[in-house]
């Protein structure tokens, strides 16, 4: 084990439930939930230079270039609230990003403790994305079949308006799955070889997956 910070990554394809689980883990362990997709969407909303550069890649389901995403994440990880650990969601998505993350953590005498991998059959993903509604304000996600908000159209957490992301449309989701297989599956294997990957069945209920993650984290705490 490297350092005392609780540095975790959550991997899985589009629609696997990463965001939902990430929010729970982050609030339970008091570490920031750093979601590269959420950060990029904020940049687009605020019309920053990065947001403008990222736009066309995101619209077609392609990856935003590594150098842009890496510097955005590194900058976020250097803020004070990330000193005791982070939960990364949606990053790393390429081997270059995984190596950059290792380098950043090593420089701070830290190291990844666990890579949680939410596995869902590719056949289920399009359907999951099609039923996904996202809060405009806090980006929490709901699924109108299995994880409905208390009031249709409104976020349980802050009452924000729920909308369907443009890139959750069928054609774009298919592209995102292709990109995932090509660029991100090698990252899963990278962590598996290192012995820090823990695979979870993402088709189970939200509470069941949450319970399995908690068990893993408790086992991790017991070892350190
Ligand atoms: P997400 O919300 O994680 O599904 O991300 C939405 C979109 O943002 C992706 O389809 C990519 O275009 C872009 N994106 C998010 N994270 C990354 C990343 N780590 N590397 C490159 N592009 C990313």
């Amino acid at each position: 084990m490297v350092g005392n910070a609780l540095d975790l990554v959550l991997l899985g394809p589009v629609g696997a439930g990463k965001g939902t689980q990430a929010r729970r883990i982050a609030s339970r362990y008091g570490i920031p939930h750093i979601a590269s997709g959420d950060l990029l969407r904020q940049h687009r909303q605020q019309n920053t230079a990065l947001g403008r550069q990222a736009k066309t890649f995101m619209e077609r389901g392609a990856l935003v270039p590594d150098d842009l995403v890496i510097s955005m994440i590194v900058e976020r990880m250097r803020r004070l609230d990330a000193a005791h650990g982070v939960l990364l969601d949606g990053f790393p998505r390429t081997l270059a990003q995984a190596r950059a993350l290792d380098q950043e953590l090593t420089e701070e005498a830290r190291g990844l403790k666990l890579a949680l991998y939410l596995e869902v059959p590719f056949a289920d993903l399009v359907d999951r994305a099609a039923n996904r509604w996202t809060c405009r304000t806090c980006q929490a996600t709901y699924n109108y079949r299995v994880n409905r908000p208390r009031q249709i159209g409104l976020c349980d957490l802050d009452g924000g308006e729920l909308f369907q992301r443009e890139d959750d449309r069928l054609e774009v989701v298919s592209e995102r799955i292709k990109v995932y297989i090509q660029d991100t599956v090698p990252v899963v294997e990278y962590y598996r070889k290192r012995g820090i990957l823990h695979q979870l069945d993402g088709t189970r209920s939200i509470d069941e997956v949450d319970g399995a993650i908690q068990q893993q984290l408790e086992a991790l705490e017991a070892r350190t």
Side-chain angles (χ1 to χ4, degrees):
M1 289 291 161
V2 200
N4 289 322
L6 184 61
D7 293 310
L8 308 169
V9 303
L10 191 53
L11 300 164
V14 42
K18 298 190 295 295
T20 304
Q21 296 298 338
R23 282 184 180 80
R24 292 186 175 204
I25 303 167
S27 77
R28 194 171 292 130
Y29 287 87
I31 50 175
H33 165 210
I34 302 180
S36 46
D38 289 356
L39 292 176
L40 288 166
R41 280 185 289 280
Q42 278 165 20
H43 276 276
R44 285 181 58 185
Q45 265 173 8
Q46 292 158 6
N47 196 26
T48 65
L50 171 57
R52 288 192 295 275
Q53 283 170 297
K55 182 173 185 280
T56 51
F57 297 100
M58 293 174 77
E59 279 173 348
R60 61 172 203 270
L63 292 183
V64 174
D66 283 334
D67 53 338
L68 298 177
V69 178
I70 290 168
S71 50
M72 174 185 79
I73 293 290
V74 165
E75 186 270 321
R76 177 63 188 87
M77 287 180 64
R78 288 184 183 171
R79 289 201 217 147
L80 215 57
D81 67 340
H84 302 295
V86 290
L87 173 61
L88 294 168
D89 161 10
F91 181 95
R93 261 178 160 92
T94 64
L95 282 175
Q97 293 178 15
R99 293 193 183 108
L101 173 62
D102 284 341
Q103 192 185 335
E104 172 63 14
L105 289 172
T106 305
E107 275 171 25
E108 299 195 19
R110 288 158 65 164
L112 266 193
K113 295 274 195 312
L114 195 61
L116 295 161
Y117 171 39
L118 279 182
E119 203 192 22
V120 173
F122 291 126
D124 294 358
L125 298 174
V126 170
D127 196 50
R128 282 178 168 231
N131 284 291
R132 173 155 79 174
W133 290 75
T134 303
C135 173
R136 252 189 226 292
T137 320
C138 72
Q139 312 214 32
T141 54
Y142 299 86
N143 180 300
Y144 278 8
R145 289 204 194 145
V146 295
N147 177 28
R148 294 169 84 86
R150 282 194 291 272
Q151 209 177 329
I152 290 292
L154 296 181
C155 177
D156 288 352
L157 303 177
D158 59 12
E161 181 203 356
L162 300 183
F163 77 108
Q164 289 203 282
R165 276 169 50 180
E166 273 288 299
D167 62 346
D168 280 344
R169 280 180 298 122
L170 174 66
E171 318 80 80
V172 187
V173 169
S174 311
E175 181 60 25
R176 290 164 73 196
I177 295 171
K178 241 192 264 166
V179 167
Y180 175 83
I181 294 170
Q182 183 185 301
D183 293 313
T184 311
V185 169
V187 176
V188 173
E189 295 313 314
Y190 177 78
Y191 291 135
R192 197 193 304 277
K193 275 194 202 122
R194 208 201 283 181
I196 58 168
L197 189 83
H198 183 75
Q199 197 157 322
L200 298 141
D201 177 358
T203 62
R204 290 157 72 197
S205 74
I206 293 174
D207 286 337
E208 283 171 334
V209 175
D210 183 25
I213 292 176
Q214 269 189 65
Q215 267 182 10
Q216 273 310 302
L217 290 174
E218 277 161 22
L220 176 73
E221 272 180 328
R223 290 201 297 274
T224 51

